[in-house]
Amino acid sequence: MTREQYILATQQNNLPRAENAQLYPVGIYGWRKRCLYFFVLLLLVTMIVNLAMTIWILKVMNFTVDGMGNLRVTKKGIRLEGISEFLLPLYVKEIHSRKDSPLVLQSDRNVTVNARNHMGQLTGQLTVGAEAVEAQCKRFEVRASEDGRVLFSADEDEITIGAEKLKVTGTEGAVFGHSVETPHIRAEPSQDLRLESPTRSLIMEAPRGVQVSAAAGDFKAACRKELHLQSTEGEIFLNADTIRLGNLPTGSFSSSSPSSSSSRQTVYELCVCPNGKLYLSPAGVGSTCQSSSSICLWS
């Protein structure tokens, strides 16, 4: 053994040894451990409650792979079954019902359908209310389902009715505030056609003529005061087997023949005043109009 090895060996033996050395454990102990377990337990309870609430919501809302409740998501869009209620505006491109059921839109106040352009401006509106149905648009049309022809159309300039027959079933008939232009007015079979103006006059005008005919009945024209038949350039033509003029005034004519005074007068002469008034005068051997012309002074 060398000297250096001896010195080292003696120094290690002379070092003091520590007695009762303290040992420090590694880990979490005491109140820290209890708090950790408490937070882990609380987290586990929260996760269980969240999972239970999620399952309950899925059960109540009827969530499935196809949709939620009455709402079904299909390839063509969204399908709602049953009664649906919308609390906010609904923006859709197309709404249609099933083939075997109607489409019902219901509201406590009114139902309004709006149409807007690409700038958001209102171009058309249909409002169904408790008192009226209002449509606001540039042109309103009703078309036939078969051939698509226009049955009714209305705009600012005119109203067009394209149906084959316009039928008014009201007891008071149809009331027009202004003129009526039509090529044909016809009543139903076995029914009378009546044109009436209760408080004013009734005027029918046509540039090429007005024709009134009764093929299987009588034609009557009655008035309270005067009935005028006027032709400015042509003539008034009466063509009938018998023409009667009733209630014409009769002039008086005294005849000197006693036989004529005793017999009843049955033949009269038709006379005309200068103003066009017609009257009857008892017929004699010659004309008696001059003798009974005093009737012309009364008119």
Side-chain angles (χ1 to χ4, degrees):
M1 178 181 296
T2 59
R3 184 177 181 181
E4 290 80 7
Q5 293 177 352
Y6 177 78
I7 293 172
L8 291 174
T10 55
Q11 289 179 354
Q12 291 179 357
N13 295 327
N14 295 328
L15 290 176
R17 296 182 178 179
E19 296 180 357
N20 299 327
Q22 295 181 359
L23 299 178
Y24 297 94
V26 178
I28 300 175
Y29 298 93
W31 64 272
R32 294 182 179 87
K33 185 177 181 180
R34 290 191 294 270
C35 290
L36 180 60
Y37 288 163
F38 174 75
F39 285 121
V40 171
L41 181 61
L42 181 62
L43 181 60
L44 181 60
V45 172
T46 305
M47 291 176 60
I48 295 175
V49 172
N50 289 336
L51 182 60
M53 291 294 293
T54 303
I55 296 174
W56 180 76
I57 293 174
L58 292 176
K59 185 65 177 178
V60 171
M61 300 301 293
N62 195 12
F63 275 99
T64 60
V65 179
D66 298 331
M68 176 185 67
N70 296 330
L71 180 65
R72 296 290 184 268
V73 180
T74 61
K75 295 181 179 180
K76 297 182 180 180
I78 298 176
R79 185 179 67 185
L80 289 175
E81 298 179 356
I83 300 176
S84 302
E85 182 178 357
F86 299 94
L87 302 179
L88 296 176
L90 177 63
Y91 300 93
V92 295
K93 182 179 180 181
E94 182 180 356
I95 298 178
H96 62 87
S97 63
R98 296 188 303 179
K99 295 182 179 180
D100 56 347
S101 62
L103 177 63
V104 179
L105 301 178
Q106 184 176 355
S107 175
D108 294 338
R109 295 186 178 180
N110 55 26
V111 177
T112 303
V113 180
N114 295 331
R116 301 181 183 273
N117 56 11
H118 63 282
M119 300 179 61
Q121 298 176 353
L122 184 63
T123 58
Q125 185 180 65
L126 178 63
T127 303
V128 180
E131 298 180 355
V133 178
E134 299 179 359
Q136 181 181 356
C137 55
K138 293 183 179 180
R139 184 178 180 85
F140 180 77
E141 293 184 354
V142 177
R143 294 182 176 270
S145 59
E146 296 180 356
D147 52 0
R149 60 189 178 92
V150 179
L151 300 178
F152 177 84
S153 64
D155 54 15
E156 295 181 357
D157 298 330
E158 64 179 4
I159 296 176
T160 304
I161 299 176
E164 297 180 357
K165 182 187 297 185
L166 175 61
K167 186 175 182 180
V168 181
T169 59
T171 56
E172 298 295 331
V175 180
F176 300 94
H178 298 282
S179 61
V180 178
E181 298 180 4
T182 177
H184 191 192
I185 299 178
R186 181 180 64 183
E188 291 185 352
S190 303
Q191 298 293 332
D192 297 333
L193 176 63
R194 184 174 182 178
L195 302 178
E196 181 182 359
S197 178
T199 59
R200 293 295 185 267
S201 59
L202 178 63
I203 301 174
M204 293 186 294
E205 297 180 354
R208 301 187 60 181
V210 177
Q211 181 179 359
V212 180
S213 63
D218 299 335
F219 173 74
K220 297 180 181 180
C223 62
R224 181 178 180 181
K225 292 184 178 180
E226 297 180 356
L227 177 63
H228 295 272
L229 298 177
Q230 181 181 1
S231 177
T232 57
E233 297 181 359
E235 61 182 6
I236 298 176
F237 180 68
L238 300 178
N239 184 11
D241 296 336
T242 302
I243 298 177
R244 296 181 181 180
L245 300 176
N247 297 328
L248 290 178
T250 304
S252 60
F253 171 72
S254 60
S255 176
S256 59
S257 175
S259 60
S260 61
S261 58
S262 60
S263 62
R264 183 179 179 183
Q265 185 71 33
T266 58
V267 180
Y268 292 89
E269 183 181 358
L270 181 62
C271 306
V272 182
C273 296
N275 59 358
K277 181 179 180 180
L278 300 178
Y279 66 95
L280 299 178
S281 178
V285 178
S287 177
T288 60
C289 292
Q290 189 68 27
S291 300
S292 59
S293 61
S294 59
I295 297 179
C296 298
L297 301 177
W298 303 344
S299 58

